[in-house]
Amino acid sequence: MPRRRPLRRPLRVAGAAVIITTAAVMGSPASAAGPELSDGGWVWPVSPFRVVEPYVQPAHRYAPGHRGIDIEPTDGFEIVAPADGTIAFAGAVADRSLLTIDHGGGLVTTLEPVMSELQPGTGVVRGQPIGAIGLGGHTPPGALHFGVRLDGEYINPLLLLGGIPRAVLLPCCG
């Protein structure tokens, strides 16, 4: 019986479809992401701020990437709820203080490191103070990691926030 060659072409086509789909989602403006992602009801968890580390989409579920954004407040350390929801988890995981908010519709936010007195089951509203930036985690001291999952898969938080605010030019050399 002749030896059969393994089928490789279908896998390449499937892989290309995944890459094209991922690129389409990542490259699309928030308005093209669908009504559940572009309703405009989300606010930044700290303000004013600067982005320290952007979101980096992993190639696949177990690949390296940065599944959220790291933001550093430029004035204070108070954190607010980015949208209405319910505290799903508040506590330490691997020496990191985490706060997780379930926003419904499959959207879950994770913020770290966060010092908070809120308990699971507590309802929060958009813009409500929920804690302060703590120490630990993988962010630089004083920064906040902001991750969002949709139906268990990490997405770029900018899809919900409408992008990075406009840059403000400051006077130079004065």
Side-chain angles (χ1 to χ4, degrees), residues 86-108:
T86 303
I87 302 298
F89 178 82
V93 174
D95 297 329
R96 300 177 187 184
S97 55
L98 301 176
L99 187 70
T100 301
I101 305 171
D102 185 340
H103 301 285
L107 287 167
V108 177

Side-chain angles (χ1 to χ4, degrees), residues 40-108:
W42 285 55
V43 297
W44 289 91
V46 294
S47 185
F49 65 92
R50 70 182 186 94
V51 175
V52 178
E53 187 74 31
Y55 179 86
V56 177
Q57 176 71 36
H60 56 80
R61 178 176 244 173
Y62 303 106
H66 190 244
R67 293 161 172 86
I69 55 177
D70 294 347
I71 49 182
E72 179 179 65
T74 57
D75 183 25
F77 293 94
E78 181 177 78
I79 303 168
V80 300
D84 297 352
T86 303
I87 302 298
F89 178 82
V93 174
D95 297 329
R96 300 177 187 184
S97 55
L98 301 176
L99 187 70
T100 301
I101 305 171
D102 185 340
H103 301 285
L107 287 167
V108 177

